[in-house]
Amino acid sequence: PAQLPAPAAVERALGVLKGAKRPLIILGKGAAYAQADDQIRALIEQSGIPFLPMSMAKGLLPDTHPQCAGAARSTVLKDSDVVMLIGARLNWLLSHGKGKAWGDAPKKFIQIDIEPKEMDSNVEIAAPLVGDIGSCVSALLEGIDGKWQAPPSDWINAVNSKREENIAKMAPRLMKNSAPMDFHGALGALRTVIRERPDAIL
């Protein structure tokens, strides 16, 4: 059901996001359940912020999207300074928001969730947005207008170059045709089939 976020919470979240030098958006399964795909895509593309899909949020936006940081996951988790969680919980899959995976850079979290008890459950959330994802994302979109400043180019370039480097590193493994076939070789063979038949569902 629609559950509108408090206007003051929306303002706070936009303020934290505006102050970010290395922002990141993490999409969780709540984002997929919400079926607010168009609003989420608009938020990501209008803000220019790199995004990381958790496994259950795959397909919300394509992995080939220019802002997808999936291939640079460890870098963006370590180096980001502001992380917006959209329907994602800071559970064991995200190392509870702390520890080695998150690096030493101080982090501020913005969390969108319909369940208030998720806030501050593992780390302090600087800007909690309690409400349904469609309503919260729409409210943020109203504040991200044409004057919104895109993230600094050095951050975007760092994410893109790490992503390209990791994809290039993976390429020879996917092309490896060893017998018996290994894990990467199998993925490479499947990728070829899917490229030839883009309508296939695996």
Side-chain angles (χ1 to χ4, degrees), residues 134-162:
S135 300
C136 291
V137 171
S138 295
L140 289 171
L141 269 170
E142 283 174 30
I144 294 179
D145 50 21
K147 295 189 212 88
W148 186 263
Q149 194 104 33
S153 55
D154 57 351
W155 170 238
I156 299 299
N157 293 340
V159 173
N160 288 343
S161 62
K162 191 66 190 172

Short mmCIF file of all heavy atoms in Angstrom, two decimals, residues 134-162:
data_model
loop_
_atom_site.label_atom_id
_atom_site.label_comp_id
_atom_site.label_asym_id
_atom_site.label_seq_id
_atom_site.Cartn_x
_atom_site.Cartn_y
_atom_site.Cartn_z
N GLY A 134 7.88 3.16 -4.21
CA GLY A 134 7.35 4.01 -5.27
C GLY A 134 7.16 5.44 -4.79
O GLY A 134 7.59 6.40 -5.45
N SER A 135 6.54 5.60 -3.61
CA SER A 135 6.27 6.94 -3.07
C SER A 135 7.57 7.65 -2.68
O SER A 135 7.73 8.86 -2.93
CB SER A 135 5.36 6.86 -1.85
OG SER A 135 4.13 6.27 -2.19
N CYS A 136 8.50 6.93 -2.06
CA CYS A 136 9.77 7.53 -1.63
C CYS A 136 10.60 7.99 -2.83
O CYS A 136 11.14 9.10 -2.84
CB CYS A 136 10.58 6.55 -0.79
SG CYS A 136 9.87 6.21 0.83
N VAL A 137 10.71 7.12 -3.83
CA VAL A 137 11.51 7.46 -5.00
C VAL A 137 10.87 8.63 -5.76
O VAL A 137 11.57 9.54 -6.22
CB VAL A 137 11.72 6.22 -5.91
CG1 VAL A 137 12.37 6.59 -7.23
CG2 VAL A 137 12.61 5.19 -5.19
N SER A 138 9.55 8.63 -5.87
CA SER A 138 8.86 9.74 -6.54
C SER A 138 9.12 11.06 -5.80
O SER A 138 9.33 12.10 -6.44
CB SER A 138 7.36 9.48 -6.60
OG SER A 138 7.10 8.35 -7.41
N ALA A 139 9.10 11.01 -4.47
CA ALA A 139 9.34 12.22 -3.67
C ALA A 139 10.78 12.73 -3.88
O ALA A 139 11.01 13.94 -4.00
CB ALA A 139 9.11 11.93 -2.19
N LEU A 140 11.75 11.81 -3.96
CA LEU A 140 13.14 12.20 -4.21
C LEU A 140 13.27 12.80 -5.61
O LEU A 140 14.01 13.78 -5.81
CB LEU A 140 14.08 11.00 -4.07
CG LEU A 140 14.30 10.46 -2.66
CD1 LEU A 140 15.06 9.15 -2.70
CD2 LEU A 140 15.06 11.47 -1.79
N LEU A 141 12.57 12.20 -6.57
CA LEU A 141 12.64 12.69 -7.96
C LEU A 141 12.19 14.14 -8.08
O LEU A 141 12.73 14.89 -8.89
CB LEU A 141 11.76 11.81 -8.87
CG LEU A 141 12.47 10.62 -9.52
CD1 LEU A 141 11.45 9.71 -10.18
CD2 LEU A 141 13.52 11.06 -10.52
N GLU A 142 11.21 14.52 -7.25
CA GLU A 142 10.74 15.91 -7.29
C GLU A 142 11.85 16.87 -6.89
O GLU A 142 11.90 18.01 -7.35
CB GLU A 142 9.52 16.09 -6.37
CG GLU A 142 8.25 15.54 -6.99
CD GLU A 142 7.07 15.59 -6.04
OE1 GLU A 142 7.04 16.50 -5.17
OE2 GLU A 142 6.18 14.72 -6.16
N GLY A 143 12.75 16.39 -6.01
CA GLY A 143 13.87 17.24 -5.57
C GLY A 143 15.07 17.18 -6.49
O GLY A 143 15.98 18.00 -6.39
N ILE A 144 15.12 16.17 -7.37
CA ILE A 144 16.25 16.05 -8.31
C ILE A 144 15.79 16.65 -9.63
O ILE A 144 15.26 15.98 -10.49
CB ILE A 144 16.68 14.56 -8.46
CG1 ILE A 144 17.24 14.07 -7.13
CG2 ILE A 144 17.69 14.40 -9.57
CD1 ILE A 144 17.69 12.65 -7.11
N ASP A 145 15.96 17.95 -9.74
CA ASP A 145 15.47 18.63 -10.94
C ASP A 145 16.61 18.86 -11.92
O ASP A 145 17.70 18.32 -11.78
CB ASP A 145 14.81 19.97 -10.55
CG ASP A 145 15.72 20.79 -9.64
OD1 ASP A 145 16.93 20.54 -9.65
OD2 ASP A 145 15.21 21.67 -8.91
N GLY A 146 16.37 19.69 -12.91
CA GLY A 146 17.37 19.96 -13.95
C GLY A 146 18.66 20.57 -13.43
O GLY A 146 19.69 20.51 -14.09
N LYS A 147 18.59 21.17 -12.23
CA LYS A 147 19.80 21.82 -11.68
C LYS A 147 20.64 20.86 -10.84
O LYS A 147 21.64 21.25 -10.26
CB LYS A 147 19.39 23.02 -10.82
CG LYS A 147 18.71 24.15 -11.59
CD LYS A 147 18.54 25.38 -10.69
CE LYS A 147 17.30 26.17 -11.04
NZ LYS A 147 16.09 25.71 -10.32
N TRP A 148 20.20 19.61 -10.76
CA TRP A 148 20.92 18.63 -9.92
C TRP A 148 22.34 18.43 -10.45
O TRP A 148 22.55 18.21 -11.63
CB TRP A 148 20.18 17.30 -9.90
CG TRP A 148 20.79 16.32 -8.95
CD1 TRP A 148 21.67 15.31 -9.25
CD2 TRP A 148 20.57 16.23 -7.53
NE1 TRP A 148 22.02 14.63 -8.12
CE2 TRP A 148 21.37 15.16 -7.05
CE3 TRP A 148 19.80 16.96 -6.63
CZ2 TRP A 148 21.39 14.80 -5.70
CZ3 TRP A 148 19.83 16.60 -5.28
CH2 TRP A 148 20.62 15.53 -4.83
N GLN A 149 23.30 18.50 -9.54
CA GLN A 149 24.71 18.33 -9.91
C GLN A 149 25.04 16.84 -10.04
O GLN A 149 24.83 16.08 -9.10
CB GLN A 149 25.58 18.95 -8.81
CG GLN A 149 27.02 19.14 -9.22
CD GLN A 149 27.31 20.60 -9.53
OE1 GLN A 149 26.75 21.50 -8.94
NE2 GLN A 149 28.18 20.84 -10.49
N ALA A 150 25.57 16.45 -11.19
CA ALA A 150 25.99 15.05 -11.38
C ALA A 150 27.17 14.74 -10.46
O ALA A 150 27.89 15.66 -10.04
CB ALA A 150 26.39 14.83 -12.83
N PRO A 151 27.39 13.47 -10.11
CA PRO A 151 28.54 13.14 -9.25
C PRO A 151 29.85 13.58 -9.91
O PRO A 151 29.93 13.64 -11.14
CB PRO A 151 28.47 11.61 -9.15
CG PRO A 151 27.07 11.25 -9.51
CD PRO A 151 26.61 12.28 -10.47
N PRO A 152 30.89 13.89 -9.11
CA PRO A 152 32.17 14.33 -9.67
C PRO A 152 32.70 13.34 -10.72
O PRO A 152 32.61 12.13 -10.54
CB PRO A 152 33.10 14.40 -8.45
CG PRO A 152 32.18 14.57 -7.29
CD PRO A 152 30.92 13.84 -7.63
N SER A 153 33.25 13.88 -11.79
CA SER A 153 33.70 13.03 -12.91
C SER A 153 34.83 12.08 -12.49
O SER A 153 34.95 10.99 -13.04
CB SER A 153 34.12 13.86 -14.11
OG SER A 153 35.11 14.79 -13.73
N ASP A 154 35.67 12.48 -11.51
CA ASP A 154 36.75 11.58 -11.11
C ASP A 154 36.19 10.30 -10.47
O ASP A 154 36.76 9.22 -10.64
CB ASP A 154 37.79 12.26 -10.20
CG ASP A 154 37.18 12.86 -8.93
OD1 ASP A 154 35.93 12.91 -8.83
OD2 ASP A 154 37.95 13.27 -8.04
N TRP A 155 35.05 10.41 -9.76
CA TRP A 155 34.42 9.22 -9.17
C TRP A 155 33.84 8.32 -10.27
O TRP A 155 34.07 7.12 -10.30
CB TRP A 155 33.34 9.66 -8.18
CG TRP A 155 32.43 8.57 -7.67
CD1 TRP A 155 31.07 8.53 -7.77
CD2 TRP A 155 32.80 7.38 -6.94
NE1 TRP A 155 30.57 7.39 -7.16
CE2 TRP A 155 31.61 6.68 -6.65
CE3 TRP A 155 34.01 6.84 -6.52
CZ2 TRP A 155 31.60 5.47 -5.95
CZ3 TRP A 155 34.00 5.63 -5.82
CH2 TRP A 155 32.81 4.96 -5.54
N ILE A 156 33.12 8.94 -11.21
CA ILE A 156 32.51 8.18 -12.30
C ILE A 156 33.61 7.50 -13.14
O ILE A 156 33.49 6.32 -13.49
CB ILE A 156 31.64 9.11 -13.20
CG1 ILE A 156 30.51 9.74 -12.38
CG2 ILE A 156 31.09 8.36 -14.41
CD1 ILE A 156 29.53 8.77 -11.75
N ASN A 157 34.68 8.23 -13.42
CA ASN A 157 35.78 7.66 -14.22
C ASN A 157 36.46 6.51 -13.48
O ASN A 157 36.82 5.50 -14.08
CB ASN A 157 36.82 8.74 -14.57
CG ASN A 157 36.25 9.79 -15.51
OD1 ASN A 157 35.25 9.54 -16.18
ND2 ASN A 157 36.84 10.97 -15.54
N ALA A 158 36.62 6.67 -12.16
CA ALA A 158 37.26 5.61 -11.36
C ALA A 158 36.41 4.33 -11.39
O ALA A 158 36.93 3.22 -11.55
CB ALA A 158 37.45 6.07 -9.92
N VAL A 159 35.09 4.49 -11.25
CA VAL A 159 34.18 3.33 -11.28
C VAL A 159 34.21 2.67 -12.66
O VAL A 159 34.35 1.45 -12.78
CB VAL A 159 32.73 3.75 -10.91
CG1 VAL A 159 31.76 2.59 -11.10
CG2 VAL A 159 32.67 4.27 -9.48
N ASN A 160 34.14 3.50 -13.72
CA ASN A 160 34.12 2.96 -15.08
C ASN A 160 35.41 2.25 -15.43
O ASN A 160 35.38 1.18 -16.04
CB ASN A 160 33.85 4.08 -16.10
CG ASN A 160 32.41 4.56 -16.05
OD1 ASN A 160 31.55 3.87 -15.49
ND2 ASN A 160 32.13 5.72 -16.60
N SER A 161 36.56 2.83 -15.04
CA SER A 161 37.83 2.19 -15.40
C SER A 161 38.01 0.88 -14.65
O SER A 161 38.51 -0.10 -15.20
CB SER A 161 39.02 3.13 -15.20
OG SER A 161 39.16 3.48 -13.86
N LYS A 162 37.55 0.82 -13.38
CA LYS A 162 37.63 -0.44 -12.62
C LYS A 162 36.73 -1.50 -13.24
O LYS A 162 37.11 -2.67 -13.35
CB LYS A 162 37.23 -0.18 -11.16
CG LYS A 162 37.52 -1.35 -10.23
CD LYS A 162 39.03 -1.57 -10.11
CE LYS A 162 39.37 -2.84 -9.40
NZ LYS A 162 40.79 -3.15 -9.44
#
